[in-house]
PDB file of all heavy atoms in Angstrom:
ATOM      1  N   HIS A 170      61.734  70.653  81.005  1.00  0.00           N
ATOM      2  CA  HIS A 170      60.765  70.816  82.076  1.00  0.00           C
ATOM      3  C   HIS A 170      60.191  69.421  82.477  1.00  0.00           C
ATOM      4  O   HIS A 170      59.738  68.660  81.671  1.00  0.00           O
ATOM      5  CB  HIS A 170      59.555  71.612  81.597  1.00  0.00           C
ATOM      6  CG  HIS A 170      58.415  71.713  82.608  1.00  0.00           C
ATOM      7  ND1 HIS A 170      58.722  72.220  83.834  1.00  0.00           N
ATOM      8  CD2 HIS A 170      57.245  71.210  82.621  1.00  0.00           C
ATOM      9  CE1 HIS A 170      57.583  72.096  84.634  1.00  0.00           C
ATOM     10  NE2 HIS A 170      56.719  71.475  83.774  1.00  0.00           N
ATOM     11  N   MET A 173      56.300  67.395  88.474  1.00  0.00           N
ATOM     12  CA  MET A 173      56.035  66.270  89.352  1.00  0.00           C
ATOM     13  C   MET A 173      56.669  64.950  88.751  1.00  0.00           C
ATOM     14  O   MET A 173      57.252  64.176  89.565  1.00  0.00           O
ATOM     15  CB  MET A 173      54.577  66.191  89.492  1.00  0.00           C
ATOM     16  CG  MET A 173      54.073  64.855  90.230  1.00  0.00           C
ATOM     17  SD  MET A 173      52.343  64.962  90.516  1.00  0.00           S
ATOM     18  CE  MET A 173      51.619  64.583  88.823  1.00  0.00           C
ATOM     19  N   LEU A 174      56.456  64.667  87.514  1.00  0.00           N
ATOM     20  CA  LEU A 174      56.955  63.486  86.872  1.00  0.00           C
ATOM     21  C   LEU A 174      57.677  63.820  85.752  1.00  0.00           C
ATOM     22  O   LEU A 174      58.866  64.084  85.670  1.00  0.00           O
ATOM     23  CB  LEU A 174      55.779  62.625  86.495  1.00  0.00           C
ATOM     24  CG  LEU A 174      55.875  61.353  85.691  1.00  0.00           C
ATOM     25  CD1 LEU A 174      56.436  60.255  86.702  1.00  0.00           C
ATOM     26  CD2 LEU A 174      54.598  60.746  85.156  1.00  0.00           C
ATOM     27  N   GLU A 177      53.374  63.819  80.084  1.00  0.00           N
ATOM     28  CA  GLU A 177      52.859  62.548  79.481  1.00  0.00           C
ATOM     29  C   GLU A 177      51.727  62.960  78.636  1.00  0.00           C
ATOM     30  O   GLU A 177      50.536  62.571  78.702  1.00  0.00           O
ATOM     31  CB  GLU A 177      52.299  61.641  80.691  1.00  0.00           C
ATOM     32  CG  GLU A 177      53.385  60.776  81.296  1.00  0.00           C
ATOM     33  CD  GLU A 177      53.915  59.698  80.427  1.00  0.00           C
ATOM     34  OE1 GLU A 177      53.347  59.372  79.368  1.00  0.00           O
ATOM     35  OE2 GLU A 177      54.977  59.105  80.795  1.00  0.00           O
ATOM     36  N   LEU A 182      42.875  64.062  76.995  1.00  0.00           N
ATOM     37  CA  LEU A 182      41.641  63.561  76.388  1.00  0.00           C
ATOM     38  C   LEU A 182      41.244  64.499  75.244  1.00  0.00           C
ATOM     39  O   LEU A 182      41.480  65.767  75.285  1.00  0.00           O
ATOM     40  CB  LEU A 182      40.519  63.609  77.507  1.00  0.00           C
ATOM     41  CG  LEU A 182      40.760  62.698  78.625  1.00  0.00           C
ATOM     42  CD1 LEU A 182      39.602  62.744  79.698  1.00  0.00           C
ATOM     43  CD2 LEU A 182      41.158  61.231  78.326  1.00  0.00           C
ATOM     44  N   PHE A 197      44.024  52.630  79.221  1.00  0.00           N
ATOM     45  CA  PHE A 197      43.744  53.514  80.329  1.00  0.00           C
ATOM     46  C   PHE A 197      42.589  54.377  80.034  1.00  0.00           C
ATOM     47  O   PHE A 197      41.753  54.766  81.021  1.00  0.00           O
ATOM     48  CB  PHE A 197      44.931  54.202  80.810  1.00  0.00           C
ATOM     49  CG  PHE A 197      46.126  53.339  81.289  1.00  0.00           C
ATOM     50  CD1 PHE A 197      47.049  53.068  80.514  1.00  0.00           C
ATOM     51  CD2 PHE A 197      46.102  52.942  82.713  1.00  0.00           C
ATOM     52  CE1 PHE A 197      48.108  52.199  80.959  1.00  0.00           C
ATOM     53  CE2 PHE A 197      47.144  52.193  83.189  1.00  0.00           C
ATOM     54  CZ  PHE A 197      48.187  51.792  82.318  1.00  0.00           C
ATOM     55  N   LEU A 245      47.226  76.614  74.623  1.00  0.00           N
ATOM     56  CA  LEU A 245      46.620  77.380  75.774  1.00  0.00           C
ATOM     57  C   LEU A 245      47.151  77.135  77.064  1.00  0.00           C
ATOM     58  O   LEU A 245      47.156  77.970  77.950  1.00  0.00           O
ATOM     59  CB  LEU A 245      45.103  77.064  75.863  1.00  0.00           C
ATOM     60  CG  LEU A 245      44.265  77.493  74.603  1.00  0.00           C
ATOM     61  CD1 LEU A 245      42.852  76.950  74.596  1.00  0.00           C
ATOM     62  CD2 LEU A 245      44.049  79.022  74.554  1.00  0.00           C
ATOM     63  N   LEU A 247      50.544  75.598  77.768  1.00  0.00           N
ATOM     64  CA  LEU A 247      51.981  75.785  77.756  1.00  0.00           C
ATOM     65  C   LEU A 247      52.430  77.069  77.129  1.00  0.00           C
ATOM     66  O   LEU A 247      53.515  77.586  77.464  1.00  0.00           O
ATOM     67  CB  LEU A 247      52.661  74.564  77.076  1.00  0.00           C
ATOM     68  CG  LEU A 247      52.750  73.273  77.682  1.00  0.00           C
ATOM     69  CD1 LEU A 247      53.405  72.197  76.772  1.00  0.00           C
ATOM     70  CD2 LEU A 247      53.540  73.307  78.935  1.00  0.00           C
ATOM     71  N   SER A 248      51.748  77.467  76.064  1.00  0.00           N
ATOM     72  CA  SER A 248      52.034  78.711  75.299  1.00  0.00           C
ATOM     73  C   SER A 248      53.381  78.583  74.751  1.00  0.00           C
ATOM     74  O   SER A 248      54.232  79.464  74.829  1.00  0.00           O
ATOM     75  CB  SER A 248      51.869  79.901  76.143  1.00  0.00           C
ATOM     76  OG  SER A 248      51.789  81.082  75.450  1.00  0.00           O
ATOM     77  N   ASN A 277      39.845  79.755  66.998  1.00  0.00           N
ATOM     78  CA  ASN A 277      38.727  80.635  66.433  1.00  0.00           C
ATOM     79  C   ASN A 277      39.147  82.149  66.889  1.00  0.00           C
ATOM     80  O   ASN A 277      38.218  82.939  67.319  1.00  0.00           O
ATOM     81  CB  ASN A 277      37.427  80.193  67.181  1.00  0.00           C
ATOM     82  CG  ASN A 277      36.210  80.899  66.488  1.00  0.00           C
ATOM     83  OD1 ASN A 277      36.242  81.358  65.349  1.00  0.00           O
ATOM     84  ND2 ASN A 277      35.072  80.904  67.293  1.00  0.00           N
ATOM     85  N   TYR A 279      40.695  83.243  69.388  1.00  0.00           N
ATOM     86  CA  TYR A 279      40.723  83.639  70.781  1.00  0.00           C
ATOM     87  C   TYR A 279      42.042  84.183  71.232  1.00  0.00           C
ATOM     88  O   TYR A 279      42.128  85.106  72.004  1.00  0.00           O
ATOM     89  CB  TYR A 279      40.340  82.474  71.674  1.00  0.00           C
ATOM     90  CG  TYR A 279      40.412  82.822  73.135  1.00  0.00           C
ATOM     91  CD1 TYR A 279      39.545  83.771  73.664  1.00  0.00           C
ATOM     92  CD2 TYR A 279      41.467  82.250  73.835  1.00  0.00           C
ATOM     93  CE1 TYR A 279      39.755  84.149  74.983  1.00  0.00           C
ATOM     94  CE2 TYR A 279      41.674  82.661  75.216  1.00  0.00           C
ATOM     95  CZ  TYR A 279      40.792  83.597  75.773  1.00  0.00           C
ATOM     96  OH  TYR A 279      40.865  84.004  77.068  1.00  0.00           O
TER      97      TYR A 279
ATOM     98  N   HIS B 153      55.772  81.393  84.373  1.00  0.00           N
ATOM     99  CA  HIS B 153      56.005  80.906  82.985  1.00  0.00           C
ATOM    100  C   HIS B 153      55.069  81.571  82.032  1.00  0.00           C
ATOM    101  O   HIS B 153      53.838  81.716  82.275  1.00  0.00           O
ATOM    102  CB  HIS B 153      55.685  79.405  82.913  1.00  0.00           C
ATOM    103  CG  HIS B 153      55.835  78.941  81.414  1.00  0.00           C
ATOM    104  ND1 HIS B 153      56.908  78.887  80.736  1.00  0.00           N
ATOM    105  CD2 HIS B 153      54.731  78.402  80.661  1.00  0.00           C
ATOM    106  CE1 HIS B 153      56.605  78.404  79.478  1.00  0.00           C
ATOM    107  NE2 HIS B 153      55.327  78.127  79.382  1.00  0.00           N
ATOM    108  N   MET B 156      54.961  81.886  74.581  1.00  0.00           N
ATOM    109  CA  MET B 156      54.530  82.717  73.456  1.00  0.00           C
ATOM    110  C   MET B 156      53.662  83.903  73.894  1.00  0.00           C
ATOM    111  O   MET B 156      53.876  85.042  73.391  1.00  0.00           O
ATOM    112  CB  MET B 156      53.760  81.852  72.420  1.00  0.00           C
ATOM    113  CG  MET B 156      53.018  82.637  71.384  1.00  0.00           C
ATOM    114  SD  MET B 156      52.340  81.558  70.151  1.00  0.00           S
ATOM    115  CE  MET B 156      50.999  80.779  71.038  1.00  0.00           C
ATOM    116  N   LEU B 157      52.648  83.659  74.724  1.00  0.00           N
ATOM    117  CA  LEU B 157      51.707  84.726  75.247  1.00  0.00           C
ATOM    118  C   LEU B 157      51.834  84.705  76.692  1.00  0.00           C
ATOM    119  O   LEU B 157      52.658  85.207  77.366  1.00  0.00           O
ATOM    120  CB  LEU B 157      50.398  84.408  74.598  1.00  0.00           C
ATOM    121  CG  LEU B 157      49.272  85.279  74.916  1.00  0.00           C
ATOM    122  CD1 LEU B 157      49.317  86.622  74.321  1.00  0.00           C
ATOM    123  CD2 LEU B 157      47.893  84.683  74.658  1.00  0.00           C
ATOM    124  N   GLU B 160      46.512  80.514  78.860  1.00  0.00           N
ATOM    125  CA  GLU B 160      45.066  80.924  78.779  1.00  0.00           C
ATOM    126  C   GLU B 160      44.270  79.568  78.941  1.00  0.00           C
ATOM    127  O   GLU B 160      43.399  79.282  78.127  1.00  0.00           O
ATOM    128  CB  GLU B 160      44.782  81.526  77.289  1.00  0.00           C
ATOM    129  CG  GLU B 160      45.131  82.892  77.136  1.00  0.00           C
ATOM    130  CD  GLU B 160      44.224  83.872  77.952  1.00  0.00           C
ATOM    131  OE1 GLU B 160      43.162  83.489  78.356  1.00  0.00           O
ATOM    132  OE2 GLU B 160      44.701  85.009  77.987  1.00  0.00           O
ATOM    133  N   LEU B 165      39.555  72.600  75.679  1.00  0.00           N
ATOM    134  CA  LEU B 165      38.310  72.039  75.410  1.00  0.00           C
ATOM    135  C   LEU B 165      38.043  70.808  76.270  1.00  0.00           C
ATOM    136  O   LEU B 165      38.960  70.134  76.704  1.00  0.00           O
ATOM    137  CB  LEU B 165      38.362  71.613  73.946  1.00  0.00           C
ATOM    138  CG  LEU B 165      38.512  72.688  72.987  1.00  0.00           C
ATOM    139  CD1 LEU B 165      38.409  72.028  71.467  1.00  0.00           C
ATOM    140  CD2 LEU B 165      37.596  73.766  73.091  1.00  0.00           C
ATOM    141  N   PHE B 180      33.792  82.094  71.868  1.00  0.00           N
ATOM    142  CA  PHE B 180      34.816  81.529  70.937  1.00  0.00           C
ATOM    143  C   PHE B 180      34.720  80.031  70.753  1.00  0.00           C
ATOM    144  O   PHE B 180      34.996  79.526  69.656  1.00  0.00           O
ATOM    145  CB  PHE B 180      36.210  81.937  71.399  1.00  0.00           C
ATOM    146  CG  PHE B 180      36.588  83.395  71.466  1.00  0.00           C
ATOM    147  CD1 PHE B 180      36.375  84.117  72.571  1.00  0.00           C
ATOM    148  CD2 PHE B 180      37.036  84.062  70.291  1.00  0.00           C
ATOM    149  CE1 PHE B 180      36.677  85.473  72.593  1.00  0.00           C
ATOM    150  CE2 PHE B 180      37.370  85.312  70.341  1.00  0.00           C
ATOM    151  CZ  PHE B 180      37.105  86.065  71.398  1.00  0.00           C
ATOM    152  N   ASN B 225      44.175  66.901  82.144  1.00  0.00           N
ATOM    153  CA  ASN B 225      45.081  67.423  81.029  1.00  0.00           C
ATOM    154  C   ASN B 225      46.241  68.360  81.427  1.00  0.00           C
ATOM    155  O   ASN B 225      47.248  68.104  81.007  1.00  0.00           O
ATOM    156  CB  ASN B 225      44.167  68.074  79.976  1.00  0.00           C
ATOM    157  CG  ASN B 225      43.314  67.078  79.145  1.00  0.00           C
ATOM    158  OD1 ASN B 225      43.579  65.854  79.302  1.00  0.00           O
ATOM    159  ND2 ASN B 225      42.374  67.573  78.495  1.00  0.00           N
ATOM    160  N   LEU B 228      48.881  66.041  82.823  1.00  0.00           N
ATOM    161  CA  LEU B 228      49.708  65.288  81.851  1.00  0.00           C
ATOM    162  C   LEU B 228      50.582  66.262  80.995  1.00  0.00           C
ATOM    163  O   LEU B 228      51.619  65.845  80.593  1.00  0.00           O
ATOM    164  CB  LEU B 228      48.660  64.532  80.919  1.00  0.00           C
ATOM    165  CG  LEU B 228      47.916  63.399  81.630  1.00  0.00           C
ATOM    166  CD1 LEU B 228      46.703  62.907  80.641  1.00  0.00           C
ATOM    167  CD2 LEU B 228      48.869  62.306  81.970  1.00  0.00           C
ATOM    168  N   LEU B 230      51.577  69.719  82.065  1.00  0.00           N
ATOM    169  CA  LEU B 230      52.466  70.527  82.792  1.00  0.00           C
ATOM    170  C   LEU B 230      53.249  69.808  83.921  1.00  0.00           C
ATOM    171  O   LEU B 230      54.147  70.230  84.309  1.00  0.00           O
ATOM    172  CB  LEU B 230      51.763  71.702  83.612  1.00  0.00           C
ATOM    173  CG  LEU B 230      51.115  72.813  82.711  1.00  0.00           C
ATOM    174  CD1 LEU B 230      50.360  73.741  83.557  1.00  0.00           C
ATOM    175  CD2 LEU B 230      52.357  73.550  82.091  1.00  0.00           C
ATOM    176  N   SER B 231      52.550  68.743  84.424  1.00  0.00           N
ATOM    177  CA  SER B 231      53.042  67.983  85.523  1.00  0.00           C
ATOM    178  C   SER B 231      53.484  68.803  86.734  1.00  0.00           C
ATOM    179  O   SER B 231      54.579  68.724  87.298  1.00  0.00           O
ATOM    180  CB  SER B 231      54.353  67.224  85.002  1.00  0.00           C
ATOM    181  OG  SER B 231      54.531  66.072  85.784  1.00  0.00           O
ATOM    182  N   ASN B 260      42.861  57.071  85.838  1.00  0.00           N
ATOM    183  CA  ASN B 260      42.787  55.510  85.785  1.00  0.00           C
ATOM    184  C   ASN B 260      44.063  54.855  86.024  1.00  0.00           C
ATOM    185  O   ASN B 260      44.403  53.845  85.373  1.00  0.00           O
ATOM    186  CB  ASN B 260      42.093  55.155  84.455  1.00  0.00           C
ATOM    187  CG  ASN B 260      41.698  53.824  84.542  1.00  0.00           C
ATOM    188  OD1 ASN B 260      41.347  53.242  85.593  1.00  0.00           O
ATOM    189  ND2 ASN B 260      41.596  53.202  83.331  1.00  0.00           N
ATOM    190  N   TYR B 262      47.017  55.632  85.259  1.00  0.00           N
ATOM    191  CA  TYR B 262      48.126  55.755  84.219  1.00  0.00           C
ATOM    192  C   TYR B 262      49.377  56.473  84.709  1.00  0.00           C
ATOM    193  O   TYR B 262      50.416  55.907  84.373  1.00  0.00           O
ATOM    194  CB  TYR B 262      47.594  56.591  83.082  1.00  0.00           C
ATOM    195  CG  TYR B 262      48.705  56.753  81.947  1.00  0.00           C
ATOM    196  CD1 TYR B 262      49.097  55.683  81.335  1.00  0.00           C
ATOM    197  CD2 TYR B 262      49.328  58.058  81.740  1.00  0.00           C
ATOM    198  CE1 TYR B 262      50.166  55.795  80.312  1.00  0.00           C
ATOM    199  CE2 TYR B 262      50.342  58.198  80.901  1.00  0.00           C
ATOM    200  CZ  TYR B 262      50.768  57.070  80.085  1.00  0.00           C
ATOM    201  OH  TYR B 262      51.798  57.195  79.243  1.00  0.00           O
TER     202      TYR B 262
END
Side-chain angles (χ1 to χ4, degrees):
Chain A
H170 174 64
M173 171 175 70
L174 176 71
E177 279 289 348
L182 303 182
F197 294 95
L245 293 168
L247 289 174
S248 201
N277 195 22
Y279 176 68
Chain B
H153 175 64
M156 172 175 68
L157 177 72
E160 279 289 348
L165 303 183
F180 294 95
N225 288 345
L228 293 169
L230 288 173
S231 201
N260 195 23
Y262 177 69

